[in-house]
Amino acid sequence: MLTRSLLLLIFLMAAVPVVARWVQGDFARWLINALTLLASGWLLWNVDRGSVLAWRVTTTLSIVAGLFALLVGLVAGQGAWGGWIVTLVGLIFVGCGLLLVGVPDVRGYLDRRWAGWRRQ
């Protein structure tokens, strides 16, 4: 349950800004945004299915993108409250990436899924 919650949180953190733009009527880059959401969903679905490569990519992207957002948010946050929100999002991404690596329950779940993936 924890692993799927983390994967869902990662997906939601990526999807919320895109969907918010769509709700506001901003469809300027809708095709790229839709493809990005589909690729993210496919990657996270493969993590849940047991792909080690997908897990590694997800963990790396979560930590690297989170650190980037954290730094950008700190620079932008000196004069605007929006920068602090970006900083918080960056911390959440980094936290999710680290939880995918370091929590024994998550690793146990993924180990069982990896064993099933190898049998296919």
Side-chain angles (χ1 to χ4, degrees):
M1 184 72 163
L2 179 61
T3 306
R4 288 186 174 170
S5 298
L6 281 172
L7 296 175
L8 180 63
L9 180 62
I10 291 171
F11 183 74
L12 289 176
M13 295 295 290
V16 165
V18 173
V19 173
R21 275 189 241 124
W22 289 347
V23 168
Q24 293 175 353
D26 181 11
F27 294 102
R29 297 180 304 190
W30 71 270
L31 182 61
I32 293 171
N33 290 332
L35 290 175
T36 301
L37 289 179
L38 285 173
S40 298
W42 180 78
L43 181 68
L44 295 171
W45 178 66
N46 277 315
V47 171
D48 187 56
R49 285 183 52 212
S51 171
V52 176
L53 179 61
W55 171 77
R56 288 179 180 163
V57 169
T58 300
T59 303
T60 303
L61 285 176
S62 293
I63 293 172
V64 170
L67 287 174
F68 181 72
L70 178 72
L71 292 174
V72 167
L74 287 174
V75 170
Q78 296 198 0
W81 61 271
W84 294 108
I85 293 174
V86 174
T87 301
L88 179 64
V89 168
L91 284 172
I92 292 171
F93 267 117
V94 170
C96 287
L98 293 175
L99 288 172
L100 283 174
V101 173
V103 174
D105 290 342
V106 172
R107 290 304 300 260
Y109 174 79
L110 291 174
D111 285 341
R112 288 189 302 276
R113 301 296 275 190
W114 291 338
W117 179 274
R118 286 189 207 119
R119 284 188 223 126
Q120 291 178 357

